[in-house]
Amino acid sequence: MLRERPESGEASAQRRHDELARLVRDARYRYYVLSDPPVPDVEFDAWYRELVALEERFPALRTPGSPTRQVGAPLDGTFPPFEHVEPMLSLDNAFSEEEIREWVDRVRRGLPDGESVRLACELKFDGTAVNCVYRDGALDVSATRGTGAVGETITQQLLAIESVPYRLEDDRPPELVEVRGEVYYPLAAFEQMNSERIERGEVAFMNPRNAASGALRQKDPAKVAERPLALFVHGLGAVAGREFGTHHAFLEWARSAGLPVSDQTVFVDDVDSAWAVIERFTGERHSFGFEVDGVVLKVDDLGQRRVLGATARAPRWAIAYKMPPVEQQTVLRAIEVNVGRTGKATPFAILEPVAVAGVTITKATLHNETQIHLKDVRVGDTVVVRRAGDVIPEVVGAVVPARPPGAASWTMPAACPFCGEPLARPEGEANHFCENVDCPNRVLESLAHLASRGALDIEGLGERTVALLHAAGLLGDLADVFRLPGHRDELAGLEGWGDKRVDNLLAGIAAARTRPLERLLVALNIRHVGSTVAKDLARHLRTLDRLGSAGLEQLAAIDGIGPTIAAGVRAWFDTPRNRELVDDLVALGLRTDTDLAEPAAAEELPLHTSTIVITGTLASFTRDELKHRLERLGAKVAGTVSARTTVVVAGEQPGSKLDKARQLGVPVLDEAAVLLVLEGAALPPRDPPG
Ligand code: IVH
């Protein structure tokens, strides 16, 4: 029998290398230029490492065209090219304590015997890299990383970011300084934006990093300004006219010059401490308010850095420890549908179990049919799932090249899987709804919601108890919860229940009767009414009775309530079943008024003639919180400083708004002063113009 000659090791390595090189190049292009990576980072890292390993075994594969010799991606010509004064390198990665220890050993071996090494341990911000060239203290050019040697000029886009100063606060600034940093999209804002897009039936961003790079690469800087992008400065490129001995000294200077620098960076003198910081940052990763995908260790001493040098791709004086990824791939086995308390039908994925950042995921939300079609996710696909902190895991996309033949596009079932009634998609909506108010799953979910903490908070009535009492025929609708005291014997007769458990539940129900109107409103499943809206409604309308009879216009005129919320409220009260429920709840003795203070008339509010601009970071609240609190006092909070601005509130690292305020003679308040204003102090008077 004739046998084919086995391929030589080198030939098969060459073929695999070609394949991996193609995959890596394509992925980089899609990641950097299109902001649409084809695979999650883990997959990319695995390809890249295999490529590096092949080149180590077969050095001939390491041609100048290999992706291991390049950084970033080719440019697509959207923005003018800019040649970085000093190239922007990438970082080598480590995935374990062992690899970190090996790196520290390598660093020590690269330096004279016995020399001590101080390390900076920094968060690895998951955003998009930028280079800012300041000449004589003013921002001259800002550019993306691009190929590493040449980036795209996005100076105006960068200046549209609130925390980026145009002028450095330094009386004797260096002639030239290249400041490197990461532009990121704060998590809460990202989630809010994405959920709005999903509700509107628009394409959702895969993750905050893509959202940041997409937002930053908009041609119109005004569009960039609409996004809450932020910057962290983390490195130094070329510098002339100033010497820095250490990274620490550079960061201190950057901070004092008004550049945004993270206050999380820790300096350590040995590898044990460095590893302890990595573990701490990994444990805290979901609490920073922005996405973090690792920890960067850097040699602090810039002289030592010069001795250690760099490869064509990455410096030897730094390493990125990669945290377990929040995105992973797995197979989508099936799509099922849940029907929630408002009747909204949410498709969710049944997944081949997969560990994502330490937790095994078997289910993930797919949001709605529109998202499934926009993302073209099909049963049988390999999909990317993302689990960020407390947020429900979601399917963010499909790996289309891995699609099995015959995988069909998914459509929402015509009937509700719980009650068989039709599932309908209202005109202009991205979501389907089960309209049957008696749908057993809707009832179960609304009962559990009524008892939950943000609503009436009924102790002893968790999800499982709700299901048990529903199955026992004791809970048919929301009002039945308050009829349970009349069923004491049946409750006591339930398997495993004794008098004590019944007493506890009934005490919980008695307490729930006395909750104020705003909590009851949250419990009622009115579309768009969460705790903030409920408070606004209660504050203005005072009683359930007045709320039930308020007209659309009256509702929409309330501060914080627009036409959509008003329509949701009206539609709820106009449904006869809900009217009956309200009557029942009143008859069962629930409280229907509030203790919230009545809103004062606009002209009685202390700040009703003031226009306030906020800049910088505050310690006691986010800018948004401060905005709401000032608005509650009648102030108008504006985005730009003008001659009509009453005061500017400046936190840490204020932006160019502070300069503008000074130019125009607008009084500036620090955080302590604004706290006094919130407590009733008067605003300072404006200097007379001129
Ligand atoms: S230092 C010479 N520090 O991660 C390279 N990079 O995966 C200096 N990144 O290209 C980079 N946080 O865009 C550094 N604290 C940090 C970082 C950081 C995020 C980005 C940076 C870099 C990429 C490498």
Side-chain angles (χ1 to χ4, degrees), residues 280-310:
R280 174 162 72 78
F281 281 164
T282 306
E284 293 172 354
R285 71 186 294 190
H286 298 304
S287 65
F288 296 117
F290 45 85
E291 201 132 284
V292 162
D293 65 339
V295 181
V296 186
L297 301 188
K298 303 172 180 178
V299 171
D300 184 39
D301 188 291
L302 303 193
Q304 290 182 332
R305 286 189 185 184
R306 279 189 287 276
V307 174
L308 290 163

PDB file of all heavy atoms in Angstrom, residues 280-310:
ATOM      1  N   ARG A 280      -5.482  41.203  44.985  1.00  0.00           N
ATOM      2  CA  ARG A 280      -6.458  42.169  45.521  1.00  0.00           C
ATOM      3  C   ARG A 280      -7.218  42.838  44.376  1.00  0.00           C
ATOM      4  O   ARG A 280      -8.435  42.903  44.381  1.00  0.00           O
ATOM      5  CB  ARG A 280      -5.744  43.219  46.377  1.00  0.00           C
ATOM      6  CG  ARG A 280      -6.674  44.330  46.845  1.00  0.00           C
ATOM      7  CD  ARG A 280      -6.100  45.105  48.004  1.00  0.00           C
ATOM      8  NE  ARG A 280      -4.995  45.972  47.654  1.00  0.00           N
ATOM      9  CZ  ARG A 280      -5.129  47.161  47.061  1.00  0.00           C
ATOM     10  NH1 ARG A 280      -6.328  47.603  46.717  1.00  0.00           N
ATOM     11  NH2 ARG A 280      -4.076  47.901  46.791  1.00  0.00           N
ATOM     12  N   PHE A 281      -6.483  43.324  43.372  1.00  0.00           N
ATOM     13  CA  PHE A 281      -7.138  43.989  42.238  1.00  0.00           C
ATOM     14  C   PHE A 281      -8.110  43.036  41.533  1.00  0.00           C
ATOM     15  O   PHE A 281      -9.185  43.438  41.095  1.00  0.00           O
ATOM     16  CB  PHE A 281      -6.101  44.484  41.224  1.00  0.00           C
ATOM     17  CG  PHE A 281      -5.406  45.769  41.618  1.00  0.00           C
ATOM     18  CD1 PHE A 281      -4.233  46.157  40.973  1.00  0.00           C
ATOM     19  CD2 PHE A 281      -5.918  46.602  42.602  1.00  0.00           C
ATOM     20  CE1 PHE A 281      -3.585  47.340  41.306  1.00  0.00           C
ATOM     21  CE2 PHE A 281      -5.277  47.792  42.948  1.00  0.00           C
ATOM     22  CZ  PHE A 281      -4.104  48.156  42.295  1.00  0.00           C
ATOM     23  N   THR A 282      -7.710  41.743  41.448  1.00  0.00           N
ATOM     24  CA  THR A 282      -8.589  40.786  40.770  1.00  0.00           C
ATOM     25  C   THR A 282      -9.890  40.640  41.565  1.00  0.00           C
ATOM     26  O   THR A 282     -10.976  40.612  40.988  1.00  0.00           O
ATOM     27  CB  THR A 282      -7.876  39.429  40.600  1.00  0.00           C
ATOM     28  OG1 THR A 282      -6.636  39.664  39.931  1.00  0.00           O
ATOM     29  CG2 THR A 282      -8.712  38.453  39.781  1.00  0.00           C
ATOM     30  N   GLY A 283      -9.769  40.579  42.894  1.00  0.00           N
ATOM     31  CA  GLY A 283     -10.965  40.466  43.732  1.00  0.00           C
ATOM     32  C   GLY A 283     -11.846  41.702  43.649  1.00  0.00           C
ATOM     33  O   GLY A 283     -13.059  41.619  43.758  1.00  0.00           O
ATOM     34  N   GLU A 284     -11.214  42.844  43.444  1.00  0.00           N
ATOM     35  CA  GLU A 284     -11.984  44.101  43.448  1.00  0.00           C
ATOM     36  C   GLU A 284     -12.377  44.552  42.043  1.00  0.00           C
ATOM     37  O   GLU A 284     -12.919  45.634  41.869  1.00  0.00           O
ATOM     38  CB  GLU A 284     -11.131  45.224  44.070  1.00  0.00           C
ATOM     39  CG  GLU A 284     -10.841  45.035  45.531  1.00  0.00           C
ATOM     40  CD  GLU A 284      -9.833  46.066  46.054  1.00  0.00           C
ATOM     41  OE1 GLU A 284      -9.284  46.844  45.256  1.00  0.00           O
ATOM     42  OE2 GLU A 284      -9.597  46.067  47.269  1.00  0.00           O
ATOM     43  N   ARG A 285     -12.085  43.746  41.053  1.00  0.00           N
ATOM     44  CA  ARG A 285     -12.171  44.247  39.672  1.00  0.00           C
ATOM     45  C   ARG A 285     -13.533  44.813  39.290  1.00  0.00           C
ATOM     46  O   ARG A 285     -13.620  45.669  38.416  1.00  0.00           O
ATOM     47  CB  ARG A 285     -11.775  43.163  38.667  1.00  0.00           C
ATOM     48  CG  ARG A 285     -12.789  42.054  38.542  1.00  0.00           C
ATOM     49  CD  ARG A 285     -12.295  40.936  37.667  1.00  0.00           C
ATOM     50  NE  ARG A 285     -12.125  41.299  36.267  1.00  0.00           N
ATOM     51  CZ  ARG A 285     -11.896  40.425  35.307  1.00  0.00           C
ATOM     52  NH1 ARG A 285     -11.798  39.137  35.597  1.00  0.00           N
ATOM     53  NH2 ARG A 285     -11.760  40.795  34.065  1.00  0.00           N
ATOM     54  N   HIS A 286     -14.596  44.305  39.934  1.00  0.00           N
ATOM     55  CA  HIS A 286     -15.924  44.789  39.544  1.00  0.00           C
ATOM     56  C   HIS A 286     -16.345  46.029  40.316  1.00  0.00           C
ATOM     57  O   HIS A 286     -17.457  46.497  40.177  1.00  0.00           O
ATOM     58  CB  HIS A 286     -16.962  43.685  39.709  1.00  0.00           C
ATOM     59  CG  HIS A 286     -16.679  42.505  38.824  1.00  0.00           C
ATOM     60  ND1 HIS A 286     -16.543  42.632  37.455  1.00  0.00           N
ATOM     61  CD2 HIS A 286     -16.481  41.204  39.101  1.00  0.00           C
ATOM     62  CE1 HIS A 286     -16.273  41.445  36.939  1.00  0.00           C
ATOM     63  NE2 HIS A 286     -16.222  40.566  37.915  1.00  0.00           N
ATOM     64  N   SER A 287     -15.462  46.535  41.174  1.00  0.00           N
ATOM     65  CA  SER A 287     -15.897  47.661  41.996  1.00  0.00           C
ATOM     66  C   SER A 287     -15.304  48.989  41.534  1.00  0.00           C
ATOM     67  O   SER A 287     -15.505  50.007  42.177  1.00  0.00           O
ATOM     68  CB  SER A 287     -15.498  47.396  43.453  1.00  0.00           C
ATOM     69  OG  SER A 287     -14.095  47.366  43.532  1.00  0.00           O
ATOM     70  N   PHE A 288     -14.559  48.985  40.437  1.00  0.00           N
ATOM     71  CA  PHE A 288     -13.890  50.228  40.040  1.00  0.00           C
ATOM     72  C   PHE A 288     -14.772  51.181  39.245  1.00  0.00           C
ATOM     73  O   PHE A 288     -14.446  52.350  39.087  1.00  0.00           O
ATOM     74  CB  PHE A 288     -12.624  49.920  39.244  1.00  0.00           C
ATOM     75  CG  PHE A 288     -11.577  49.195  40.054  1.00  0.00           C
ATOM     76  CD1 PHE A 288     -11.176  47.930  39.710  1.00  0.00           C
ATOM     77  CD2 PHE A 288     -11.024  49.784  41.176  1.00  0.00           C
ATOM     78  CE1 PHE A 288     -10.229  47.252  40.462  1.00  0.00           C
ATOM     79  CE2 PHE A 288     -10.078  49.116  41.937  1.00  0.00           C
ATOM     80  CZ  PHE A 288      -9.682  47.838  41.580  1.00  0.00           C
ATOM     81  N   GLY A 289     -15.857  50.644  38.677  1.00  0.00           N
ATOM     82  CA  GLY A 289     -16.734  51.517  37.885  1.00  0.00           C
ATOM     83  C   GLY A 289     -16.302  51.613  36.429  1.00  0.00           C
ATOM     84  O   GLY A 289     -16.934  52.301  35.636  1.00  0.00           O
ATOM     85  N   PHE A 290     -15.209  50.965  36.087  1.00  0.00           N
ATOM     86  CA  PHE A 290     -14.788  50.867  34.685  1.00  0.00           C
ATOM     87  C   PHE A 290     -14.212  49.468  34.512  1.00  0.00           C
ATOM     88  O   PHE A 290     -13.876  48.810  35.508  1.00  0.00           O
ATOM     89  CB  PHE A 290     -13.758  51.940  34.324  1.00  0.00           C
ATOM     90  CG  PHE A 290     -12.679  52.117  35.344  1.00  0.00           C
ATOM     91  CD1 PHE A 290     -11.554  51.300  35.335  1.00  0.00           C
ATOM     92  CD2 PHE A 290     -12.782  53.073  36.345  1.00  0.00           C
ATOM     93  CE1 PHE A 290     -10.561  51.439  36.285  1.00  0.00           C
ATOM     94  CE2 PHE A 290     -11.793  53.213  37.315  1.00  0.00           C
ATOM     95  CZ  PHE A 290     -10.682  52.390  37.279  1.00  0.00           C
ATOM     96  N   GLU A 291     -14.121  49.017  33.258  1.00  0.00           N
ATOM     97  CA  GLU A 291     -13.672  47.648  33.070  1.00  0.00           C
ATOM     98  C   GLU A 291     -12.148  47.558  33.165  1.00  0.00           C
ATOM     99  O   GLU A 291     -11.429  48.394  32.624  1.00  0.00           O
ATOM    100  CB  GLU A 291     -14.156  47.100  31.742  1.00  0.00           C
ATOM    101  CG  GLU A 291     -14.164  45.603  31.732  1.00  0.00           C
ATOM    102  CD  GLU A 291     -15.457  45.017  31.216  1.00  0.00           C
ATOM    103  OE1 GLU A 291     -16.441  45.035  31.995  1.00  0.00           O
ATOM    104  OE2 GLU A 291     -15.490  44.580  30.066  1.00  0.00           O
ATOM    105  N   VAL A 292     -11.726  46.531  33.889  1.00  0.00           N
ATOM    106  CA  VAL A 292     -10.308  46.291  34.108  1.00  0.00           C
ATOM    107  C   VAL A 292     -10.043  44.869  33.639  1.00  0.00           C
ATOM    108  O   VAL A 292     -10.783  43.966  33.988  1.00  0.00           O
ATOM    109  CB  VAL A 292     -10.039  46.432  35.631  1.00  0.00           C
ATOM    110  CG1 VAL A 292      -8.739  45.804  36.017  1.00  0.00           C
ATOM    111  CG2 VAL A 292     -10.093  47.888  36.047  1.00  0.00           C
ATOM    112  N   ASP A 293      -9.015  44.650  32.810  1.00  0.00           N
ATOM    113  CA  ASP A 293      -8.794  43.278  32.345  1.00  0.00           C
ATOM    114  C   ASP A 293      -7.463  42.711  32.817  1.00  0.00           C
ATOM    115  O   ASP A 293      -7.063  41.643  32.384  1.00  0.00           O
ATOM    116  CB  ASP A 293      -8.939  43.175  30.816  1.00  0.00           C
ATOM    117  CG  ASP A 293      -7.878  43.960  30.068  1.00  0.00           C
ATOM    118  OD1 ASP A 293      -7.285  44.880  30.670  1.00  0.00           O
ATOM    119  OD2 ASP A 293      -7.638  43.662  28.888  1.00  0.00           O
ATOM    120  N   GLY A 294      -6.787  43.418  33.694  1.00  0.00           N
ATOM    121  CA  GLY A 294      -5.536  42.870  34.200  1.00  0.00           C
ATOM    122  C   GLY A 294      -4.822  43.844  35.102  1.00  0.00           C
ATOM    123  O   GLY A 294      -5.387  44.855  35.540  1.00  0.00           O
ATOM    124  N   VAL A 295      -3.587  43.504  35.394  1.00  0.00           N
ATOM    125  CA  VAL A 295      -2.724  44.378  36.197  1.00  0.00           C
ATOM    126  C   VAL A 295      -1.409  44.499  35.428  1.00  0.00           C
ATOM    127  O   VAL A 295      -0.881  43.493  34.954  1.00  0.00           O
ATOM    128  CB  VAL A 295      -2.449  43.763  37.593  1.00  0.00           C
ATOM    129  CG1 VAL A 295      -1.575  44.692  38.425  1.00  0.00           C
ATOM    130  CG2 VAL A 295      -3.758  43.470  38.318  1.00  0.00           C
ATOM    131  N   VAL A 296      -0.917  45.730  35.292  1.00  0.00           N
ATOM    132  CA  VAL A 296       0.363  45.913  34.608  1.00  0.00           C
ATOM    133  C   VAL A 296       1.438  46.137  35.666  1.00  0.00           C
ATOM    134  O   VAL A 296       1.282  46.996  36.535  1.00  0.00           O
ATOM    135  CB  VAL A 296       0.310  47.121  33.639  1.00  0.00           C
ATOM    136  CG1 VAL A 296       1.610  47.198  32.843  1.00  0.00           C
ATOM    137  CG2 VAL A 296      -0.882  47.013  32.690  1.00  0.00           C
ATOM    138  N   LEU A 297       2.479  45.325  35.597  1.00  0.00           N
ATOM    139  CA  LEU A 297       3.635  45.536  36.472  1.00  0.00           C
ATOM    140  C   LEU A 297       4.707  46.234  35.650  1.00  0.00           C
ATOM    141  O   LEU A 297       4.993  45.818  34.522  1.00  0.00           O
ATOM    142  CB  LEU A 297       4.184  44.204  36.991  1.00  0.00           C
ATOM    143  CG  LEU A 297       3.247  43.314  37.801  1.00  0.00           C
ATOM    144  CD1 LEU A 297       4.027  42.134  38.387  1.00  0.00           C
ATOM    145  CD2 LEU A 297       2.575  44.086  38.931  1.00  0.00           C
ATOM    146  N   LYS A 298       5.281  47.299  36.224  1.00  0.00           N
ATOM    147  CA  LYS A 298       6.283  48.066  35.496  1.00  0.00           C
ATOM    148  C   LYS A 298       7.460  48.346  36.407  1.00  0.00           C
ATOM    149  O   LYS A 298       7.258  48.714  37.568  1.00  0.00           O
ATOM    150  CB  LYS A 298       5.718  49.428  35.070  1.00  0.00           C
ATOM    151  CG  LYS A 298       4.482  49.355  34.234  1.00  0.00           C
ATOM    152  CD  LYS A 298       3.914  50.751  34.034  1.00  0.00           C
ATOM    153  CE  LYS A 298       2.667  50.640  33.175  1.00  0.00           C
ATOM    154  NZ  LYS A 298       2.024  51.932  32.976  1.00  0.00           N
ATOM    155  N   VAL A 299       8.652  48.240  35.879  1.00  0.00           N
ATOM    156  CA  VAL A 299       9.837  48.660  36.622  1.00  0.00           C
ATOM    157  C   VAL A 299       9.723  50.178  36.800  1.00  0.00           C
ATOM    158  O   VAL A 299       9.460  50.899  35.832  1.00  0.00           O
ATOM    159  CB  VAL A 299      11.116  48.282  35.842  1.00  0.00           C
ATOM    160  CG1 VAL A 299      12.341  48.907  36.479  1.00  0.00           C
ATOM    161  CG2 VAL A 299      11.238  46.758  35.762  1.00  0.00           C
ATOM    162  N   ASP A 300       9.892  50.634  38.038  1.00  0.00           N
ATOM    163  CA  ASP A 300       9.669  52.048  38.330  1.00  0.00           C
ATOM    164  C   ASP A 300      10.817  52.932  37.836  1.00  0.00           C
ATOM    165  O   ASP A 300      10.602  54.022  37.315  1.00  0.00           O
ATOM    166  CB  ASP A 300       9.490  52.223  39.849  1.00  0.00           C
ATOM    167  CG  ASP A 300       9.147  53.655  40.227  1.00  0.00           C
ATOM    168  OD1 ASP A 300       8.375  54.285  39.480  1.00  0.00           O
ATOM    169  OD2 ASP A 300       9.655  54.129  41.258  1.00  0.00           O
ATOM    170  N   ASP A 301      12.036  52.446  37.963  1.00  0.00           N
ATOM    171  CA  ASP A 301      13.218  53.270  37.678  1.00  0.00           C
ATOM    172  C   ASP A 301      13.450  53.364  36.163  1.00  0.00           C
ATOM    173  O   ASP A 301      13.644  52.355  35.481  1.00  0.00           O
ATOM    174  CB  ASP A 301      14.424  52.606  38.364  1.00  0.00           C
ATOM    175  CG  ASP A 301      15.645  53.499  38.280  1.00  0.00           C
ATOM    176  OD1 ASP A 301      16.181  53.684  37.162  1.00  0.00           O
ATOM    177  OD2 ASP A 301      16.051  54.017  39.330  1.00  0.00           O
ATOM    178  N   LEU A 302      13.436  54.575  35.632  1.00  0.00           N
ATOM    179  CA  LEU A 302      13.534  54.724  34.178  1.00  0.00           C
ATOM    180  C   LEU A 302      14.930  54.383  33.666  1.00  0.00           C
ATOM    181  O   LEU A 302      15.088  53.943  32.525  1.00  0.00           O
ATOM    182  CB  LEU A 302      13.107  56.125  33.736  1.00  0.00           C
ATOM    183  CG  LEU A 302      11.686  56.566  34.139  1.00  0.00           C
ATOM    184  CD1 LEU A 302      11.279  57.822  33.370  1.00  0.00           C
ATOM    185  CD2 LEU A 302      10.630  55.497  33.940  1.00  0.00           C
ATOM    186  N   GLY A 303      15.947  54.519  34.535  1.00  0.00           N
ATOM    187  CA  GLY A 303      17.306  54.107  34.168  1.00  0.00           C
ATOM    188  C   GLY A 303      17.349  52.590  33.981  1.00  0.00           C
ATOM    189  O   GLY A 303      17.914  52.079  33.010  1.00  0.00           O
ATOM    190  N   GLN A 304      16.757  51.872  34.919  1.00  0.00           N
ATOM    191  CA  GLN A 304      16.701  50.406  34.802  1.00  0.00           C
ATOM    192  C   GLN A 304      15.934  50.006  33.545  1.00  0.00           C
ATOM    193  O   GLN A 304      16.269  49.039  32.873  1.00  0.00           O
ATOM    194  CB  GLN A 304      16.045  49.809  36.042  1.00  0.00           C
ATOM    195  CG  GLN A 304      16.911  49.928  37.289  1.00  0.00           C
ATOM    196  CD  GLN A 304      16.261  49.281  38.510  1.00  0.00           C
ATOM    197  OE1 GLN A 304      15.037  49.199  38.602  1.00  0.00           O
ATOM    198  NE2 GLN A 304      17.089  48.844  39.452  1.00  0.00           N
ATOM    199  N   ARG A 305      14.895  50.768  33.220  1.00  0.00           N
ATOM    200  CA  ARG A 305      14.123  50.456  32.011  1.00  0.00           C
ATOM    201  C   ARG A 305      15.025  50.516  30.785  1.00  0.00           C
ATOM    202  O   ARG A 305      14.943  49.671  29.904  1.00  0.00           O
ATOM    203  CB  ARG A 305      12.978  51.453  31.833  1.00  0.00           C
ATOM    204  CG  ARG A 305      11.839  51.246  32.798  1.00  0.00           C
ATOM    205  CD  ARG A 305      10.679  52.131  32.395  1.00  0.00           C
ATOM    206  NE  ARG A 305       9.594  52.044  33.363  1.00  0.00           N
ATOM    207  CZ  ARG A 305       8.421  52.654  33.229  1.00  0.00           C
ATOM    208  NH1 ARG A 305       8.191  53.417  32.164  1.00  0.00           N
ATOM    209  NH2 ARG A 305       7.491  52.525  34.137  1.00  0.00           N
ATOM    210  N   ARG A 306      15.882  51.545  30.744  1.00  0.00           N
ATOM    211  CA  ARG A 306      16.772  51.682  29.575  1.00  0.00           C
ATOM    212  C   ARG A 306      17.708  50.485  29.477  1.00  0.00           C
ATOM    213  O   ARG A 306      17.964  49.969  28.396  1.00  0.00           O
ATOM    214  CB  ARG A 306      17.553  52.996  29.653  1.00  0.00           C
ATOM    215  CG  ARG A 306      16.734  54.186  29.164  1.00  0.00           C
ATOM    216  CD  ARG A 306      17.581  55.445  29.046  1.00  0.00           C
ATOM    217  NE  ARG A 306      17.922  56.015  30.357  1.00  0.00           N
ATOM    218  CZ  ARG A 306      17.110  56.833  31.049  1.00  0.00           C
ATOM    219  NH1 ARG A 306      15.938  57.204  30.551  1.00  0.00           N
ATOM    220  NH2 ARG A 306      17.479  57.296  32.224  1.00  0.00           N
ATOM    221  N   VAL A 307      18.200  50.025  30.633  1.00  0.00           N
ATOM    222  CA  VAL A 307      19.095  48.867  30.623  1.00  0.00           C
ATOM    223  C   VAL A 307      18.347  47.635  30.102  1.00  0.00           C
ATOM    224  O   VAL A 307      18.873  46.848  29.318  1.00  0.00           O
ATOM    225  CB  VAL A 307      19.655  48.599  32.045  1.00  0.00           C
ATOM    226  CG1 VAL A 307      20.462  47.312  32.087  1.00  0.00           C
ATOM    227  CG2 VAL A 307      20.478  49.793  32.510  1.00  0.00           C
ATOM    228  N   LEU A 308      17.124  47.475  30.516  1.00  0.00           N
ATOM    229  CA  LEU A 308      16.365  46.276  30.137  1.00  0.00           C
ATOM    230  C   LEU A 308      15.946  46.315  28.671  1.00  0.00           C
ATOM    231  O   LEU A 308      15.923  45.291  27.997  1.00  0.00           O
ATOM    232  CB  LEU A 308      15.131  46.130  31.044  1.00  0.00           C
ATOM    233  CG  LEU A 308      15.454  45.759  32.492  1.00  0.00           C
ATOM    234  CD1 LEU A 308      14.271  46.046  33.399  1.00  0.00           C
ATOM    235  CD2 LEU A 308      15.858  44.290  32.588  1.00  0.00           C
ATOM    236  N   GLY A 309      15.563  47.508  28.189  1.00  0.00           N
ATOM    237  CA  GLY A 309      15.229  47.654  26.771  1.00  0.00           C
ATOM    238  C   GLY A 309      13.921  46.990  26.385  1.00  0.00           C
ATOM    239  O   GLY A 309      13.087  46.656  27.230  1.00  0.00           O
ATOM    240  N   ALA A 310      13.763  46.777  25.070  1.00  0.00           N
ATOM    241  CA  ALA A 310      12.493  46.260  24.555  1.00  0.00           C
ATOM    242  C   ALA A 310      12.754  45.357  23.364  1.00  0.00           C
ATOM    243  O   ALA A 310      13.791  45.453  22.723  1.00  0.00           O
ATOM    244  CB  ALA A 310      11.613  47.436  24.108  1.00  0.00           C
TER     245      ALA A 310
END
